[in-house]
Amino acid sequence: MTEHSSKAGVIPILDAASRKNKGRGKPKGRAQDPQAQAEVAALLGDDPRRRDLLIEYLHRIQDAYGHISAAHIVALGAELKLAMTEVYEVATFYHHFDVIKEGETQPPRLTIRVCESLSCTMAGSRDLQTALEKLGLEDVRVVAVPCVGRCHAAPVAVLGQNPIDHASVASVTGALQDGASVARIGPYMTYRQYRDAGGYKALQECLAGSRDTESVIKAMEHSGLRGLGGAGFPAGRKWRIVGAEPGPRLMAVNIDEGEPGTFKDRWYLERDPHRFLEGMLIAAKIVDIAEIYVYLRDEYAGCREILSRELAALAADPPGPLPVIHLRRGAGAYICGEESAMMESIEGKRGMPRLRPPYVAQVGLFGRPTLEHNMETLYWVRDILEKGGDWFAGHGRNGRHGLRSCSVSGRVQQPGVHLAPAGITLRELIGEYCGGMLPGHELYAYLPGGASGGILPAAMADIPLDFDTLNPYGCFIGSAAVIVLSRHDKARDAAASMTHFFAEESCGQCTPCRVGTEKAQALVQAAKWDQALLEDLAKVMADASICGLGQAAPNPIRSVIKYFPQEIE
């Protein structure tokens, strides 16, 4: 060792030999904990050690221990041959993973999640959360969470994985005493029942060649069916585009419906899952898909159990040759409803949207051409083939064509999923399908497309609800999540709720969205809104954000400024 003099004194300098021997005997990074290593190895069993299964394996640890420790992260990284930082950044990206650092207290084994979405807030979820917190339940935590996809039954609490509709302190504590923390499954059409009722005949005709590729795609195009996840891209055209790409081709089914106010996919899956699965398999046959990945939001534990059962029944007695089908579980990230973010998540990464081009039809999942669809879009394929494209296109009002599954919640007497003709107005939807407004409530405003679809006043309740019809008003229908407000509510409160949601759910990848949503959330708390600053912020977010979250996040704010100025001046 040598020394170097300076004004600060004598500084030791390690020579080459000293540097070479310093720290030897210890591996770089955190040492493995033998117990955690054994626990993770047991949870993984003989399953393959692949990067794309990282999120699935994080779920196994979370389910088994109620949290994910630093030691488990190190052990899982070793099993998958990933750096600890790679595992950590994925685990901490998703809301449903409780990552515990060394020295931190483990969370209670049981969590009560109280939905804080707009519909649940209007139904009293904040009071419910406060009352549950005051109980001081032992080894139980109470947390507020974004929409859990049961807006028709507001307010909703989720005990473990068991959703409690129209929740109250009594119903939640009763379920807690009964140990009811596992998702309950109601009656639904099983594989055998579906086959006995004529199911999978359309698929068999496609497999046998009696329905050829061109005739099927033409039927889809003629029906006018558009993507029902919100984007509205023509389904038949998408099949043509992906089918023209070189194989092998993959398919990704998006059932991560996290838009506040939306619950139609869950509604259909809980009742008739094979109608969706048959449509999925028909699309796979026509586009020549090698493997299918079904991405289901983590809040839908009951749907996951149903799909697991029915996919096993389908594989045990298939109607014909089937592609490989993977059921993947989300982990609580609204951004994964965006198609490329979903694909990143399926690949075992943080769910961050990709820059485009290239588009997923050319370079999608695992770098392959990918057919991406929302679950409900595939749900209608069998009916379109059996009844003809004219059948689907023949529905509609006000010059529009097709059907819309409207998820309706808020101040109506009969909330739920209502299958209505495309182009129906909000006033007609409430009067003909929802039993009218609740007693003592008068229509004041409505959100036609969930959190990102904007807000319109009652005076505009006669606009046809469909793709493109709402665009001139700064709104859109999206996935047809309709939230109805009465004169007991304020549009500014609805906008604040949605802005808070976007700030929580921004993935943070791009500055306009990451900073813009946080800034907007603070600005809308003011009694008098700074309209010029909000509009400037909204323009930057809409023009410069990478994906639809940041681009659409200003819509509720702009709607309030335009249609409800009396609330913010």
Side-chain angles (χ1 to χ4, degrees):
M1 179 181 293
T2 61
E3 292 180 342
H4 172 70
S5 297
S6 73
K7 292 181 180 179
V10 178
I11 302 173
I13 300 177
L14 294 176
D15 56 28
S18 300
R19 288 197 302 270
K20 185 177 180 180
N21 293 325
K22 184 175 176 62
R24 277 298 177 92
K26 293 182 179 179
K28 286 188 175 182
R30 190 185 300 270
Q32 280 216 50
D33 177 88
Q35 181 178 345
Q37 189 176 8
E39 290 169 348
V40 170
L43 288 172
L44 271 56
D46 295 329
D47 288 341
R49 271 56 171 170
R50 299 199 317 260
R51 168 61 191 259
D52 65 289
L53 294 171
L54 172 58
I55 294 172
E56 296 297 305
Y57 293 157
L58 286 169
H59 274 302
R60 292 189 190 182
I61 298 172
Q62 176 76 37
D63 291 345
Y65 298 101
H67 65 279
I68 301 171
S69 68
H72 284 141
I73 285 178
V74 174
L76 182 57
E79 288 284 340
L80 300 182
K81 294 183 172 53
L82 296 173
M84 182 186 72
T85 53
E86 292 183 84
V87 180
Y88 180 80
E89 73 174 7
V90 171
T92 53
F93 180 85
Y94 296 93
H95 298 314
H96 291 182
F97 295 138
D98 292 309
V99 180
I100 306 302
K101 300 176 183 177
E102 285 187 359
E104 290 185 341
T105 304
Q106 296 180 7
R109 284 301 301 264
L110 195 58
T111 299
I112 299 173
R113 295 178 171 86
V114 180
C115 180
E116 65 173 1
S117 72
L118 178 58
S119 298
C120 282
T121 298
M122 289 193 296
S125 65
R126 288 177 181 166
D127 292 339
L128 173 63
Q129 180 185 349
T130 300
L132 290 171
E133 289 172 339
K134 287 182 178 179
L135 293 178
L137 299 168
E138 185 178 354
D139 204 26
V140 175
R141 63 176 173 174
V142 180
V143 297
V145 296
C147 184
V148 296
R150 307 187 71 85
C151 316
H152 61 98
V156 178
V158 182
L159 178 61
Q161 293 185 337
N162 177 29
I164 301 172
D165 293 344
H166 305 293
S168 64
V169 172
S171 63
V172 173
T173 54
L176 188 61
Q177 292 170 358
D178 294 339
S181 60
V182 178
R184 297 174 177 175
I185 299 172
Y188 66 88
M189 183 170 286
T190 65
Y191 178 63
R192 189 70 269 153
Q193 292 169 334
Y194 186 77
R195 289 292 300 271
D196 290 344
Y200 288 106
K201 285 185 178 178
L203 172 63
Q204 289 177 321
E205 291 169 352
C206 292
L207 293 172
S210 55
R211 290 184 183 271
D212 63 274
T213 297
E214 184 60 25
S215 67
V216 171
I217 292 180
K218 281 186 175 178
M220 295 293 295
E221 291 173 334
H222 188 63
S223 72
L225 178 66
R226 296 172 65 172
L228 297 173
F233 192 87
R237 190 191 308 171
K238 184 181 286 190
W239 291 17
R240 279 198 191 278
I241 292 171
V242 179
E245 293 294 320
R249 305 173 198 86
L250 303 178
M251 184 175 184
V253 182
N254 193 337
I255 321 181
D256 193 61
E257 60 171 357
E259 184 82 14
T262 307
F263 47 92
K264 62 183 179 59
D265 292 353
R266 175 192 58 78
W267 186 278
Y268 287 129
L269 279 175
E270 288 178 343
R271 290 157 175 79
D272 194 0
H274 286 281
R275 191 170 297 271
F276 146 64
L277 291 174
E278 183 172 8
M280 177 185 78
L281 292 170
I282 289 171
K285 166 59 181 173
I286 296 303
V287 185
D288 192 16
I289 298 294
E291 295 186 39
I292 301 172
Y293 289 80
V294 179
Y295 189 85
L296 179 69
R297 74 178 302 202
D298 194 34
E299 288 86 347
Y300 290 174
C303 292
R304 187 168 64 251
E305 177 62 26
I306 289 172
L307 284 176
S308 296
R309 290 181 188 179
E310 297 311 305
L311 285 171
L314 178 65
D317 180 25
L322 303 177
V324 177
I325 304 172
H326 307 271
L327 178 59
R328 291 295 177 87
R329 181 177 172 184
Y334 167 72
I335 192 64
C336 290
E338 196 275 339
E339 60 180 7
S340 65
M342 173 189 66
M343 293 178 192
E344 289 287 295
S345 188
I346 291 172
E347 293 177 6
K349 305 171 187 174
R350 294 175 294 169
M352 289 189 167
R354 300 172 182 173
L355 292 171
R356 285 168 287 207
Y359 297 96
V360 299
Q362 287 81 41
V363 182
L365 194 55
F366 303 111
R368 300 306 311 162
T370 303
L371 178 66
E372 187 273 343
H373 267 312
N374 167 258
M375 173 264 161
E376 197 208 344
T377 311
L378 297 168
Y379 184 88
W380 293 112
V381 170
R382 174 193 165 185
D383 283 316
I384 288 171
L385 294 191
E386 291 183 344
K387 301 175 183 178
D390 286 338
W391 167 80
F392 189 83
H395 294 85
R397 293 184 186 177
N398 300 307
R400 311 303 295 180
H401 301 281
L403 294 165
R404 294 290 172 268
S405 299
C406 299
S407 305
V408 185
S409 61
R411 309 297 192 181
V412 296
Q413 295 202 55
Q414 296 172 16
V417 173
H418 297 289
L419 184 61
I424 193 171
T425 68
L426 185 280
R427 203 178 307 279
E428 291 169 338
L429 183 64
I430 294 175
E432 298 176 30
Y433 291 84
C434 302
M437 297 289 292
L438 284 170
H441 289 264
E442 181 184 350
L443 178 64
Y444 175 63
Y446 66 104
L447 288 76
S452 52
I455 309 173
L456 292 171
M460 302 175 74
D462 296 310
I463 300 171
L465 299 176
D466 196 18
F467 296 114
D468 312 319
T469 58
L470 298 165
N471 295 8
Y473 309 98
C475 298
F476 58 80
I477 191 171
S479 58
V482 180
I483 305 175
V484 180
L485 309 184
S486 76
R487 295 197 175 276
H488 293 255
D489 310 304
K490 290 185 177 179
R492 64 169 292 154
D493 292 340
S497 174
M498 299 312 176
T499 303
H500 168 70
F501 171 78
F502 288 126
E504 290 292 312
E505 295 298 326
S506 172
C507 75
Q509 180 177 191
C510 66
T511 302
C513 180
R514 181 183 66 252
V515 177
T517 53
E518 290 286 350
K519 181 69 173 176
Q521 181 178 214
L523 289 172
V524 297
Q525 300 306 315
K528 182 177 181 180
W529 286 10
D530 188 333
Q531 298 182 35
L533 180 56
L534 280 167
E535 177 53 34
D536 185 50
L537 185 64
K539 187 176 189 321
V540 171
M541 292 173 64
D543 291 347
S545 295
I546 289 174
C547 81
L549 190 155
Q551 294 164 8
N555 287 345
I557 295 172
R558 282 175 153 170
S559 294
V560 171
I561 292 173
K562 185 174 183 179
Y563 299 117
F564 305 91
Q566 72 280 3
E567 293 190 15
I568 58 173
E569 294 177 348

